[in-house]
Structures are given as C-alpha cells and as structure tokens.
Amino acid sequence: MIHSRSLLTCSFLLLFGAAQAQHFSLSRLFYPNLTLKADYAVPSSMNGTQDYGVTRTGFLGIIPIHSEVQLGYSLRKKFDLRAVHTVMLAQYNQIQPTVDGKNNPEHGYKTLSLGVIRLQASIKDRLWVYGGGLGMTETNETFFSPQPFFWGGAARMHILGLRTQIMYGSVLAYNQKLRFVPVFGVNKGLGRHWRVSALLPFMANANYKATKWFNVDLLAGLSGYSGGFQIQMPEEKMLRRENYRQIKTGISANAHLFTAINVSVEAGVSTFRQIKTFNSARENLTSYTPATTPYIGASVRYITSRSKLSSKFTRRMGLGQSGINW
C-alpha cells in the first residue's frame, strides 16, 4: 500500500494557508499576498551507512477572485443574507533531497499546485469553508508523464466571540489512492498576548504577540512530499516514486515591517522521519527512518494590498484582529 499521507498533509495545509514559519490564522488566508520561503534540514544517518538531507524552496500566492454579499428571499417568506469570499492559491516548490551530500535525484522534485478556497456565511447556513485543488510533484525526467494529485474538503465553522473559532469537517485526497480524513480546528485567544491554534491531525501552534510588529510561535506539524522519479536500467528506464514524511517542532520569530512585509525565521528539529520508495506496481522497494535532525527555515511575505473588502469580510465574521500581526 503506497503511503500518501504526507502529500495529503501538504495539500490540506495549503488549504488553510498554514505555510511554514507562520502560525495558523483564519484571517491570514483572505489577505492577498506573495510568500517566498526556504528551509534546510541538516543531513543525518539514514541507514547506518548513508546520510539523508533535504532542502526546500518555493513560493505561495493568495489571490482574491470573488467577493459579494447577496440578499435572498425563500418560498417560506424568509430573508437570507449571504456573503461569499473566494481566493485562489498558487504554489511552487523545489525540493532537493541529498544522500551523502549528493543530489538524489539530481535535479530534485518540482511541485506545482493550484487551489481554490471559498468562505461562505449566511443567516440560514451559518459559516462554511470549501476548498479543492490539484497538482503534481515530479522530477525533470517525469515532468511530462506526471501522476497528479487532487484534494477537496469542507469544514463547518463556529465563531464563539471575537477571540475563538472552531471548525470540523473532512478532506478527500487522491495520490495513487483515495483517502478520507476527518479534521478538527480551533483558534483561541488567551489573554492579550497568547493565541493557541490547531488543525488536527496535522498541526498545532502557540503564538505570543509581543508587540504590534513582533510575535513568536511555538509550533509542531506533519509535512513531507511524494514525488515521481526515473532510474536508468541497462535495457530501459524505470519509473519510481519516493514518499517522505516528518514531524517538525520548532520556534519562529516573526516581524512585520514597512506595513506590507512580514519576515519569519524558524528553527527546530525534524523527527519521526520516514522515506519509502515504490515501483510502478506500488510495491514497497525500500524503507528508511532517518535520525532526528535540526532544521532552519525563513520566509518573506509581501502583502500586495489590504483589500477593504477582504478586511471588512473577515472583521464582520470575527476572524480578524487589530493590525496584521502574522
């Protein structure tokens, strides 16, 4: 059975905008922005004789594409006021694994994905989040014969005052096989400076807001990749697939500068790591558990505009806070 949870995880974190070096916040999703990010895990023993390391660079763009408020009237003579807000998410990642310091595969993996998220609030149906997307993770050699993945999900949200939100729902993802995963999320303010957030079973976070322009995160999350590659045999080229997953725990410092720029620096450890390779028949060929290792990461986010419509929508729903302190 091919392991696809890591790719599912990446997809669902993309769904809620929880990119690395930032804490989970519902309001963040609805501000248009472009994020550049990178992280590096120190090579560690993979099988007792070889070391495994991985570097990731990429960008994530969030683009609002539709917002409106609608007034409806049903056959039962009841009014319904509905507000919808839709954003598109575009992501590209370059993932470069290494074995004993050498790139493996030589040019790494490239991940391209597109998704759409819709937040819908109404008097009748309350508050829901819907999302879906597709993408692929391939090397240069398999880029034009990809094995695409797709995902879709829905979550019901409850706003419990201006400082607390909860959600529950499910996500369905395909990456060689279908998976159905129930999810539960919470976003809770504790006092003036602390906020605890979680999107289970994928990530958890505690954020300390020191000032309007500086905050610190304590975080833990599941991540990884699932990519296709090709090996040259004497008689033919063989297609393979590599799956990698890890749990990252760390701390990040986030500074909001010059109104439109957010800079984050992150450090911690990568643990519970696993690497598996499969053939085209989905048979498990190798399985390794690299040792726990330190990692560092950084991101720079440019907030392209503080859309008045985006701001009003999130504030009316109780999702926003004073200022943008990511």
Side-chain angles (χ1 to χ4, degrees):
M1 178 184 297
I2 187 166
H3 179 86
S4 61
R5 176 175 291 183
S6 58
L7 187 50
L8 170 62
T9 301
C10 294
S11 301
F12 204 64
L13 291 183
L14 173 63
L15 169 64
F16 285 96
Q20 294 183 14
Q22 55 182 302
H23 66 280
F24 176 57
S25 171
L26 299 177
S27 61
R28 179 188 303 122
L29 179 61
F30 297 98
Y31 285 97
N33 71 88
L34 175 66
T35 301
L36 302 177
K37 56 184 178 178
D39 64 75
Y40 168 76
V42 178
S44 64
S45 176
M46 180 173 68
N47 54 15
T49 60
Q50 295 176 305
D51 290 337
Y52 174 85
V54 62
T55 302
R56 183 192 302 259
T57 57
F59 74 83
L60 169 68
I62 299 180
I63 307 168
I65 57 177
H66 176 245
S67 296
E68 66 175 344
V69 177
Q70 304 169 341
L71 180 63
Y73 189 70
S74 70
L75 295 176
R76 296 181 180 181
K77 298 182 179 182
K78 291 185 178 181
F79 284 100
D80 185 29
L81 184 64
R82 187 177 69 161
V84 295
H85 190 66
T86 307
V87 297
M88 180 176 68
L89 296 87
Q91 182 165 255
Y92 169 80
N93 283 317
Q94 173 70 35
I95 304 168
Q96 184 58 72
T98 62
V99 177
D100 284 345
K102 297 181 180 180
N103 293 346
N104 184 33
E106 183 178 358
H107 301 290
Y109 298 101
K110 295 172 174 61
T111 296
L112 296 172
S113 63
L114 289 174
V116 175
I117 306 297
R118 179 185 178 95
L119 177 61
Q120 178 175 303
S122 72
I123 297 175
K124 179 181 177 181
D125 298 324
R126 303 302 180 183
L127 187 59
W128 285 83
V129 177
Y130 304 94
L134 55 86
M136 62 179 183
T137 302
E138 304 292 340
T139 61
N140 289 357
E141 294 76 19
T142 63
F143 200 77
F144 294 101
S145 56
Q147 298 184 47
F149 63 85
F150 67 82
W151 56 270
R156 178 72 180 271
M157 295 175 56
H158 292 275
I159 307 299
L160 308 178
L162 296 179
R163 298 178 60 81
T164 305
Q165 304 93 34
I166 63 171
M167 67 173 66
Y168 50 88
S170 60
V171 62
L172 182 69
Y174 172 79
N175 179 32
Q176 287 82 55
K177 66 172 295 183
L178 284 172
R179 281 185 178 272
F180 174 84
V181 179
V183 295
F184 175 79
V186 62
N187 193 26
K188 171 67 176 176
L190 302 173
R192 296 180 56 188
H193 299 284
W194 285 95
R195 177 167 291 273
V196 177
S197 305
L199 184 61
L200 303 176
F202 303 111
M203 59 83 65
N205 173 274
N207 175 260
Y208 177 73
K209 183 178 179 180
T211 69
K212 290 183 178 181
W213 61 271
F214 181 76
N215 64 78
V216 177
D217 291 313
L218 303 174
L219 50 93
L222 175 67
S223 62
Y225 64 83
S226 177
F229 66 100
Q230 183 176 270
I231 60 173
Q232 180 66 57
M233 302 298 288
E235 298 180 353
E236 61 178 329
K237 295 178 180 179
M238 305 291 290
L239 295 178
R240 296 287 186 263
R241 197 153 195 93
E242 179 175 88
N243 288 359
Y244 171 70
R245 67 171 178 175
Q246 62 183 355
I247 294 179
K248 296 170 67 176
T249 60
I251 183 171
S252 71
N254 317 293
H256 195 71
L257 309 173
F258 308 113
T259 305
I261 297 177
N262 181 269
V263 179
S264 296
V265 179
E266 181 180 342
V269 296
S270 172
T271 188
F272 294 102
R273 309 166 77 198
Q274 185 180 72
I275 305 169
K276 290 185 176 182
T277 59
F278 302 87
N279 59 18
S280 57
R282 304 181 186 177
E283 296 171 329
N284 188 356
L285 302 178
T286 62
S287 181
Y288 302 110
T289 54
T292 298
T293 189
Y295 79 90
I296 56 174
S299 70
V300 178
R301 182 172 301 102
Y302 174 64
I303 305 169
T304 55
S305 68
R306 291 191 181 187
S307 166
K308 291 183 179 180
L309 188 56
S310 296
S311 179
K312 287 182 179 180
F313 191 91
T314 54
R315 298 299 175 87
R316 292 289 177 87
M317 294 301 104
L319 304 180
Q321 300 180 22
S322 59
I324 302 178
N325 184 22
W326 290 357

